[in-house]
Amino acid sequence: MSAPAAPLPPVLFADNHLLAFDKPSGLLSVPGRGPDKQDCLAARARARWPDALVVHRLDMATSGLIVMARGLEMQRRLSAAFADRETAKEYVAVVDGWLASDAGEIALPLITDWPNRPRQMVDHAIGKPSLTRWQVLARSHDGQGHAQTRVALFPVTGRSHQLRVHLQAIGHPILGDALYAPPAALARAPRLLLHACALALPHPATGQPLALRCEPPF
């Protein structure tokens, strides 16, 4: 008797050209290395839509909005839209401490920390230019009195772990971040408090503006 199919995450949008999902934290976007890492959003989507193809990814620990293309031509068009920065992404995070300003930007070059992969790091000599804009949504204290800031994040570039490294680099790591938060900030959340909440892009078939939204679960 075969095992039951893994559940499909909530479908936010679906037509003959484009799919959008609310990926839960803890689910891979694409298969990893090894037989124990084959379950992923892409595999679950293809079980229902065999022509579903990957366009971009979210970290396993990050939740939220992710799109897939239906067919090679739609994949090409969507990939070009991401590469040409015709898309606008918004994330929500809860970070350690209170950000001093109400808005700003972080421009720090990033590169893979090869001895400690998959970690990334700031490298002013050979890192790739990376830019994140941010805006404070709320400042508060958690149940133990620790200061925290809820912040909207607008990545201009799309480097691996960009938001996580940029916030850690300015002294405000994302709560629950197993890779970049110090132990105290890691312990304050049961998961990485980072969620892809909005994506605006041209529809790959019509070119018409498409605005997708997915509210955070935290």
Side-chain angles (χ1 to χ4, degrees), residues 61-140:
T62 303
S63 59
L65 214 163
I66 184 169
V67 299
M68 297 185 71
R70 296 193 64 185
L72 287 169
E73 178 59 21
M74 295 302 107
Q75 184 190 41
R76 184 190 68 78
R77 294 184 189 184
L78 282 168
S79 296
F82 277 91
D84 296 341
R85 297 184 189 171
E86 296 173 358
T87 63
K89 306 174 193 173
E90 180 183 347
Y91 292 72
V92 169
V94 181
V95 304
D96 184 35
W98 283 1
L99 286 156
S101 302
D102 290 337
E105 62 180 39
I106 307 165
L108 293 171
L110 302 177
I111 194 170
T112 301
D113 183 359
W114 284 103
N116 300 297
R117 285 175 294 174
R119 286 176 57 93
Q120 310 292 306
M121 64 180 183
V122 174
D123 190 313
H124 292 280
I126 57 175
K128 295 179 180 179
S130 307
L131 178 61
T132 301
R133 297 191 173 106
W134 56 267
Q135 182 175 350
V136 168
L137 299 174
R139 296 179 179 88
S140 63

